[in-house]
Amino acid sequence: FLMCGIAGILSEKFVSRQVVENMLSAISHRGPDGRFVFQSAGYIVGMTRLAINDLQGGMQPLSDESGRFFVMYNGEIYNSPELRKLLLGKGYNLKSDCDGEVIAHLFSEFGVESFSYLDGMFAIALWDEFSKKLYLVRDQSGEKPLYYSLQDHSKGICFGSEINCVRTALKFNPSLNLDAIWDLPTFLWVPEPQTIFNEIVALEKGGIIEFSVNSVRKTKMRKGLNINLPDLNSFNDKTSWVRNIVQNAVSSRLLSDVPVGSFLSGGLDSSIITALAASEIGPIDTFTV
């Protein structure tokens, strides 16, 4: 099933680019529209792209105009039009129409706090070329997956969009997490941050890892900066208020340079979403199993 994927390594030891190429091969099914690799000092990162927005100009990494911050990411930033206006108003120059370009520029303006401005689904790897620091970030709902493994007493980190991708980069066979094996038939999934392997863990939803060689800091992004609910008093009733919120949420997710479709589960949720989307962009293809 298709979506972008990212993979990378930061280490004080020499790492061959081929290691990251192998990681990308493990997730090639996620992105048929492009494969990109960025390398700086001990940092190598790549991504496989499924092109949705700015089909020609959305190649990664995406950087700020100073050339300090470089972003590889999987996902979509729903409020990128509003963030773009904010950045243009502050004098920043954006050179593409890709929704992800706002990330590097926001970080240049607001630092780590910038991630709290993002309304979307995302797994981000942001590299600070000056401080040689890596930031791994996952959206607050945990929609986009991101896994990592610390190596050699935290002197290195490898990360990727899938567990098998990270496993490909390890120089050893990771050990089975017996608790996770017990949890899987109990809950039908493995509760995060655990995975089926002890040495590979999931970045928690809303989590941020600031990593440089010999330094690891874990934080959580602050909630609320991307929430702008309409005033309830400006609506006749709560039903109209809720409808407005849902309509705006659906509308923001229709940002796409390729055809939009809808998955139908047979329930009210997907039916409402599809009806609202169709009312805005006309008939859309729907799929169900």
Side-chain angles (χ1 to χ4, degrees):
F1 124 79
L2 302 178
M3 61 183 69
C4 299
I6 61 174
I9 295 177
L10 173 59
S11 176
E12 67 174 9
K13 297 181 179 180
F14 171 77
V15 177
S16 169
R17 172 174 171 148
Q18 188 59 47
V19 175
V20 173
E21 293 284 2
N22 293 341
M23 296 174 74
L24 293 175
S25 294
I27 55 173
S28 60
H29 55 277
R30 298 178 70 94
D33 299 325
R35 180 161 165 166
F36 314 105
V37 176
F38 171 79
Q39 188 168 353
S40 175
Y43 179 56
I44 310 176
V45 63
M47 69 95 64
T48 58
R49 186 189 186 204
L50 176 66
I52 302 296
N53 292 306
D54 195 355
L55 305 186
Q56 302 302 320
M59 288 75 72
Q60 297 189 29
L62 301 162
S63 67
D64 70 318
E65 55 190 313
S66 73
R68 174 175 178 175
F69 304 112
F70 293 87
V71 169
M72 289 280 202
Y73 98 111
N74 162 35
E76 188 169 9
I77 309 304
Y78 303 132
N79 63 338
S80 61
E82 293 81 7
L83 295 175
R84 184 176 291 270
K85 291 178 183 178
L86 171 66
L87 292 167
L88 292 175
K90 290 182 175 292
Y92 288 93
N93 295 312
L94 283 78
K95 56 187 179 183
S96 78
D97 294 323
C98 181
D99 55 291
E101 190 183 358
V102 301
I103 299 172
H105 292 84
L106 277 176
F107 194 89
S108 179
E109 180 71 22
F110 299 111
V112 176
E113 192 85 322
S114 63
F115 301 123
S116 298
Y117 284 86
L118 303 177
D119 176 14
M121 52 177 182
F122 49 81
I124 298 171
L126 185 147
W127 173 249
D128 184 339
E129 180 68 17
F130 290 0
S131 68
K132 306 301 180 184
K133 183 177 289 188
L134 171 66
Y135 296 84
L136 298 179
V137 190
R138 189 180 180 196
D139 64 78
Q140 293 184 352
S141 298
E143 286 189 69
K144 290 300 180 182
L146 191 57
Y147 302 93
Y148 68 93
S149 178
L150 297 177
Q151 302 172 304
D152 299 325
H153 304 289
S154 298
K155 294 183 179 180
I157 187 172
C158 60
F159 61 90
S161 294
E162 295 184 9
I163 294 173
N164 191 48
C165 167
V166 177
R167 186 184 182 190
T168 301
L170 299 180
K171 297 179 180 179
F172 56 89
N173 290 322
S175 59
L176 288 176
N177 181 341
L178 300 182
D179 287 339
I181 294 176
W182 182 263
D183 287 339
L184 187 57
T186 303
F187 304 114
L188 302 183
W189 70 87
V190 177
E192 294 179 341
Q194 292 191 91
T195 73
I196 204 72
F197 298 111
N198 286 309
E199 295 83 5
I200 302 174
V201 295
L203 179 58
E204 297 181 68
K205 57 185 180 181
I208 302 172
I209 291 181
E210 301 178 29
F211 185 91
S212 58
V213 175
N214 295 324
S215 174
V216 183
R217 180 170 179 258
K218 298 179 182 180
T219 58
K220 299 277 285 187
M221 68 179 71
R222 192 153 62 94
K223 294 183 178 181
L225 296 183
N226 60 11
I227 297 176
N228 186 24
L229 296 180
D231 182 10
L232 177 59
N233 294 324
S234 63
F235 291 83
N236 295 328
D237 53 57
K238 293 181 180 179
T239 302
S240 300
W241 179 71
V242 171
R243 183 184 182 90
N244 178 267
I245 293 172
V246 176
Q247 177 71 73
N248 289 339
V250 172
S251 179
S252 68
R253 284 150 178 79
L254 298 177
L255 180 66
S256 175
D257 292 329
V258 295
V260 174
S262 179
F263 292 109
L264 297 176
S265 66
L268 284 175
D269 293 355
S270 62
S271 300
I272 291 172
I273 291 170
T274 302
L276 291 174
S279 69
E280 183 161 336
I281 64 174
I284 62 177
D285 290 330
T286 59
F287 306 86
T288 189
V289 176

